[in-house]
Amino acid sequence: MVLSPEWSELRIDTTRLLDRIDQLGEIGRIDGPNGEWGNARLALTDDDKAGRDLVVAWMHDLGLEVAIDAIGNVVATRAGTDSTSAPVMVGSHIDTVGTGGRFDGNLGVLAGLEIVETLDRAGLVTARPLQVAFFTDEEGSRFAPDMLGSLVFVGGLPLEQALDLVAADDGARLGEELHRIGYAGVVPCPAAAPPHAFVELHIEQGPVLEAEDITIGVVEGVQGISWTEIAIVGQSAHAGTTPMRLRHDPAYCAAAIATYVRDLTRHLGPEQVGTVGRLDVYPNLVNVVPARVVLTVDLRNTDDRVLQEAEARLATFLEELADMEGVAITTKSLARFEPVEFDGAMVDLVQATAERLGHSTRRMPSGAGHDAQMLARICPTAMVFTPSVDGLSHNIAEFTEAVDIEAGANVLLQVVLDLLTADG
């Protein structure tokens, strides 16, 4: 639809948005050697609680009705004149990886609050309600799988199963941690009714937009994700007295797996990516052949058929490696999500809006997982990408220029206004 001038010329306050991003970033702040700084706010830690408390306080300051569900997702609502109509929802997450940046996830949540304040200051009222949400444990760094809160929100994982998950860092139970930090809400999961639509603003977390000098990424979907934990049990032995031919070395096996994953990506083409991201060695001593190694393999592809082939090839390699080296290898799936395509009309709306605002655009898939891919199960969904400097994310040097934040937030604002005022 064509927005009236009163709506179409509305813009966010970039300084106000950046100030909120920096204030939230001070919680769990990590400083680097060259002036860069990021965050460590793992899900359901004390720092996550402090970040949640700050964002919820801002929600209350804006007069929003705040609801917390049983998995700790927070949804704040700006009322519309038609209380019977389904809301338009925006949002993302505020938890981070252990060495994360201050834009990943936070931008999408705080841009939502900025839209609310922009509408309030302009005195504009919408028929549909507008909701701003942040979802629990999107990163999956502490409790696997990733996108956990949004997965439970849409009914993709039973609440009871999620509450029984155990943290990778300290063995804490998720449900107990929710109670400990005061975010075990009473709103049932899954959500009682789906939103009218969901839109997520996010940094690209990759180098494509910057390399091609593009301002707005129009996200068509999210590639499939497969996380596997691999435990290798060998035989601990003296590093000097045990001949190489008689060793059962799980560290060697872990290295062989990492090498195989890299080779696998070469064989399956440029759309296939693979990462060994976590490696725990026991007893982790310089002069001891290890007894046990646990590692993770992250495989991703936009084509689920090829992703399945990668998983099958890895499984075969693990069987052969165990026989060859005389070790025991067991696996556990931590997460498995098929590729997601976003609603075509929503994708078109993002592109048309960005181009109306004078921005260059590029249609692209998301290499990272996002809450939007879960919301796509229950409502029309889209994402807006802004460039990442040097393509860095999950890194304290993660950065997005103010001009790009402004562009992305204004595209989000105008898309949301279109959805809030459209019929149907």
Side-chain angles (χ1 to χ4, degrees):
M1 65 170 294
V2 178
L3 292 171
S4 68
E6 181 184 24
W7 300 84
S8 63
E9 295 174 7
L10 205 59
R11 300 292 183 268
I12 61 100
D13 184 323
T14 308
T15 300
R16 193 166 56 210
L17 173 54
L18 290 172
D19 182 62
R20 282 197 177 109
I21 290 173
D22 285 348
Q23 286 188 59
L24 180 56
E26 290 292 341
I27 299 173
R29 175 169 173 157
I30 303 173
D31 290 296
N34 300 309
E36 70 275 21
W37 63 286
N39 292 111
R41 282 198 310 275
L42 294 174
L44 310 188
T45 58
D46 290 343
D47 281 334
D48 185 33
K49 170 182 168 50
R52 286 166 170 261
D53 289 347
L54 178 62
V55 176
V56 168
W58 284 332
M59 290 171 166
H60 285 303
D61 289 345
L62 291 169
L64 303 178
E65 180 181 342
V66 179
I68 305 171
D69 70 19
I71 198 65
N73 299 320
V74 176
V75 179
T77 303
R78 181 183 194 261
T81 58
D82 183 0
S83 60
T84 65
S85 61
V88 173
M89 178 183 283
V90 299
S92 193
H93 62 98
I94 65 168
D95 67 304
T96 76
V97 297
T99 53
R102 61 188 188 275
F103 301 93
D104 177 3
N106 305 316
L107 173 59
V109 177
L110 301 182
L113 294 186
E114 175 56 30
I115 289 174
V116 170
E117 185 153 2
T118 299
L119 294 179
D120 287 350
R121 287 176 179 263
L124 298 180
V125 179
T126 60
R128 287 188 184 279
L130 171 61
Q131 292 184 326
V132 181
F134 64 84
F135 297 98
T136 297
D137 190 46
E138 189 272 353
E139 294 290 3
S141 294
R142 191 168 182 226
F143 299 95
D146 52 348
M147 288 80 71
L148 175 68
S150 53
L151 182 63
V152 176
F153 183 84
V154 303
L157 180 69
L159 173 65
E160 294 75 15
Q161 185 177 336
L163 294 175
D164 278 335
L165 291 171
V166 174
D169 56 351
D170 58 6
R173 180 176 171 272
L174 188 147
E176 293 170 357
E177 288 294 87
L178 273 175
H179 279 282
R180 184 184 69 82
I181 69 169
Y183 278 87
V186 298
V187 176
C189 286
H196 173 67
F198 178 80
V199 192
E200 182 172 1
L201 172 64
H202 209 283
I203 59 171
E204 181 198 352
Q205 301 183 273
V208 175
L209 293 178
E210 183 182 57
E212 298 183 4
D213 195 24
I214 300 294
T215 302
I216 297 295
V218 180
V219 186
E220 295 181 300
V222 181
Q223 65 183 349
I225 301 174
S226 172
W227 284 3
T228 303
E229 182 180 86
I230 302 171
I232 312 164
V233 177
Q235 185 177 63
S236 187
H238 194 289
T241 63
T242 309
M244 301 303 291
R245 71 182 188 280
L246 299 179
R247 297 187 181 201
H248 307 285
D249 185 351
Y252 165 78
C253 294
I257 293 168
T259 300
Y260 180 79
V261 168
R262 173 60 69 90
D263 291 341
L264 186 61
T265 64
R266 294 191 183 102
H267 293 153
L268 294 179
E271 299 304 317
Q272 179 65 52
V273 295
T275 306
V276 172
R278 193 180 83 219
L279 193 66
D280 298 321
V281 181
Y282 178 83
N284 200 29
L285 299 172
V286 67
N287 60 345
V288 177
V289 177
R292 181 178 74 252
V293 174
V294 178
L295 69 152
T296 58
V297 174
D298 178 326
L299 299 173
R300 306 189 190 208
N301 202 299
T302 55
D303 186 330
D304 197 54
R305 179 190 59 81
V306 181
L307 182 58
Q308 290 178 34
E309 181 180 351
E311 292 170 311
R313 288 195 186 189
L314 176 61
T316 299
F317 176 76
L318 295 179
E319 292 178 3
E320 295 172 349
L321 182 65
D323 290 341
M324 183 171 60
E325 296 298 322
V327 298
I329 298 180
T330 57
T331 63
K332 179 172 69 172
S333 176
L334 299 178
R336 181 57 166 87
F337 302 122
E338 295 181 356
V340 171
E341 291 186 9
F342 291 145
D343 181 86
M346 291 281 287
V347 174
D348 289 344
L349 175 59
V350 170
Q351 182 165 9
T353 302
E355 291 175 351
R356 174 171 64 81
L357 295 179
H359 302 306
S360 55
T361 64
R362 185 192 199 279
R363 290 196 174 219
M364 61 194 304
S366 172
H370 297 288
D371 292 310
Q373 75 190 79
M374 300 305 164
L375 271 293
R377 300 185 182 193
I378 62 171
C379 69
T381 299
M383 291 191 72
V384 181
F385 272 177
T386 59
S388 295
V389 173
D390 295 329
L392 291 177
S393 186
H394 288 187
N395 183 317
I396 64 171
E398 168 190 286
F399 192 73
T400 293
E401 300 286 356
V403 65
D404 292 322
I405 287 176
E406 180 176 39
N410 278 321
V411 170
L412 178 68
L413 168 64
Q414 290 296 309
V415 168
V416 167
L417 287 176
D418 194 296
L419 293 168
L420 285 169
T421 56
D423 296 330

